[in-house]
Amino acid sequence: MADVPSPLKTPLTGLSEQPQAQHTLREMEEHRTALTGHCYRMLGSVAEAEDAVQETFIRALRHQDQFEGRSSLRTWLYRIGTRVCIDLLGERNRRARPMELHPPFELDAPLGEKPAAEWVEPVPDALVLPSNATPAELVMMRQSIRLAFVAALQHLPPRQRAVLILTEVVEWSAVEVAAALDMTVAAVNSALQRARATLATRDLSAPRGPLTDDEVSLVQKYVDAFERYDMDALSALLHHDVTMSMPPLSLWLRGPEKVCAWMLGRGAGCRGSRHIATLACGAPAFAQYKPGGPNGTYTPWSLTVLEIEDGRIVALNYFLDVMTLFPRFGLPLELPAA
C-alpha cells in the first residue's frame, strides 16, 4: 500500500497548476462518473459522493509522486476513494428509507420531518453511469444504484460495504480488495460472506436490464392516471404491497387503498399536477409540478422515483427536497401555465 496516500484535506486550487498535474487531472476526470457512482453506493448521498470524489482527486494530485504505476490510475483512484468514504462513514450514522425506521403510518398520523442527512438520496443516472460502459456493465451499475440496494448497503459496516462493492460491482478479485484495504485475503473472503448474508435478509430482486415494453407502458399509464387524477386507474397499476414515502417526511403508507385515500385526502393538492420524465437510481423517475403558482404556473413538488416488480408499481418514492434535487437533475423550478 505504499502508493496510497494518507488522509489529507487541501483545496484543489493551486494543486493543478503544473503541467504534469494538469495532465494527471485530465486523466482522472475520465473516471469521475464511475468514481462518483462508487462513492454514492458507499455513502447513499449524492452531495457526499461528490465531496468524496473531490477529496480523492486532491489526495491523488497531492501525492501523485507516490503513484508507482504498479496498478492502473483507475485502480489507484478507487483505492483512495474507498478510503475517503470509509473515513466519512466513521463520522456519521447510516442513512435509511422511511420504511426501515417505523411501521406504516395511519392516514391521519403526524407527518414528522427528519434532517436530510438521515435519508438515502436519489441520484441522477447521468451522474453515475459512464457513457462508455458496456451493456453488461450498465446492468450491474443500474442494479447497484437502486434505492432498495443502496439502502441495504447502509446496513453493512463500512469495510464490509467496501469489500462487497469492490468485489461484486467493480469486480475486483479478493487479492486486489485485500491490497486496497490493508486486509488479508482470508479477511476479505470472511467480510464478503458476512455482507452477502446480511443482504440476503433484505428484500432485493434480481439484477434488471432496461425497462421492458410492458414496463414502459405501465409507467406511461401511471403518468396518465396521475395527471387525470383517476385513482381507480392508478390503483390498478399498484402492487398489492405497494409503499408510498415522502422523504424528508417520516410518514409512509402501505397498500393501494391507503395510497389512493391519501391522494384524495391530505394529498389532494396534487390534483392537476404535471410531470417531466427523468432517470434516477436506475429506475423511471419524474419531476412533479403542482398547479397554483403565480399566473397559472406550476411549482415543483417532488422528484418521484418508481420501483417496479411483477408488472406492477411496488414503491412510490416522492422526494420533496425539490430546491436541492431539481437543480441537481437539471430540472426547471417552474413550469409555465398550460
Side-chain angles (χ1 to χ4, degrees):
M1 287 302 300
D3 59 347
V4 175
S6 58
L8 177 69
K9 293 183 181 296
T10 305
L12 186 59
T13 303
L15 291 176
S16 59
E17 295 176 353
Q18 299 299 320
Q20 179 57 41
Q22 292 176 0
H23 175 73
T24 303
L25 184 58
R26 284 195 295 272
E27 290 188 323
M28 291 195 302
E29 286 292 344
E30 296 176 6
H31 303 284
R32 180 182 288 276
T33 303
L35 193 60
T36 302
H38 176 63
C39 294
Y40 171 72
R41 296 176 187 95
M42 287 288 296
L43 300 168
S45 162
V46 177
E48 289 182 0
E50 291 179 323
D51 288 347
V53 171
Q54 182 76 351
E55 178 68 11
T56 298
F57 282 11
I58 288 170
R59 294 186 192 184
L61 281 177
R62 185 74 174 181
H63 297 277
Q64 58 184 313
D65 59 324
Q66 295 180 20
F67 178 52
E68 300 171 353
R70 291 181 298 175
S71 62
S72 68
L73 177 63
R74 174 180 180 273
T75 298
W76 193 54
L77 292 174
Y78 269 83
R79 288 180 177 180
I80 300 171
T82 301
R83 293 197 167 202
V84 169
C85 292
I86 290 174
D87 290 345
L88 289 171
L89 289 168
E91 300 171 358
R92 63 162 173 79
N93 297 325
R94 73 173 177 88
R95 290 174 179 266
R97 305 174 77 185
M99 295 80 83
E100 299 176 277
L101 302 180
H102 311 281
F105 285 63
E106 296 299 326
L107 291 170
D108 58 353
L111 298 176
E113 183 170 341
K114 289 181 175 291
E118 297 192 20
W119 303 116
V120 172
E121 297 178 348
V123 65
D125 284 13
L127 190 67
V128 295
L129 299 181
S131 58
N132 60 352
T134 67
E137 290 172 334
L138 284 175
V139 169
M140 176 54 70
M141 289 180 178
R142 286 197 181 96
Q143 161 71 10
S144 58
I145 59 171
R146 291 173 52 228
L147 286 169
F149 186 78
V150 174
L153 289 175
Q154 309 307 303
H155 288 265
L156 303 176
R159 291 175 76 82
Q160 274 189 36
R161 198 180 309 178
V163 167
L164 184 102
I165 295 171
L166 290 173
T167 303
E168 301 202 345
V169 179
V170 185
E171 297 185 321
W172 284 5
S173 68
V175 172
E176 292 173 305
V177 176
L181 299 179
D182 277 346
M183 299 170 68
T184 65
V185 171
V188 167
N189 287 330
S190 176
L192 182 60
Q193 186 176 24
R194 294 197 300 275
R196 286 171 172 166
T198 299
L199 292 193
T201 66
R202 316 301 302 177
D203 184 18
L204 300 174
S205 59
R208 58 173 306 139
L211 295 180
T212 65
D213 290 343
D214 287 344
E215 289 171 335
V216 170
S217 176
L218 178 70
V219 172
Q220 292 171 339
K221 289 177 180 176
Y222 165 81
V223 174
D224 177 67
F226 201 112
E227 294 193 344
R228 290 187 294 107
Y229 226 61
D230 183 339
M231 290 301 112
D232 289 335
L234 182 66
S235 179
L237 308 175
L238 304 180
H239 192 279
H240 66 85
D241 208 28
V242 65
T243 62
M244 187 186 85
S245 63
M246 298 176 286
L249 305 182
S250 298
L251 182 142
W252 69 280
L253 304 171
R254 184 189 295 281
E257 292 184 0
K258 289 282 183 66
V259 169
C260 293
W262 173 272
M263 296 290 184
L264 294 172
R266 299 172 77 178
C270 288
R271 185 187 296 272
S273 290
R274 294 170 60 188
H275 295 75
I276 292 180
T278 185
L279 291 172
C281 305
F286 298 91
Q288 181 189 337
Y289 297 82
K290 292 170 63 173
N295 302 316
T297 57
Y298 290 76
T299 57
W301 173 247
S302 78
L303 190 290
T304 306
V305 181
L306 304 181
E307 294 175 81
I308 298 172
E309 286 183 20
D310 302 328
R312 290 288 184 273
I313 297 170
V314 73
L316 298 158
N317 305 280
Y318 299 107
F319 292 92
L320 304 184
D321 185 10
V322 292
M323 291 299 117
T324 299
L325 294 173
F326 277 32
R328 182 177 291 160
F329 279 76
L331 294 163
L333 292 175
E334 181 184 88
L335 289 186

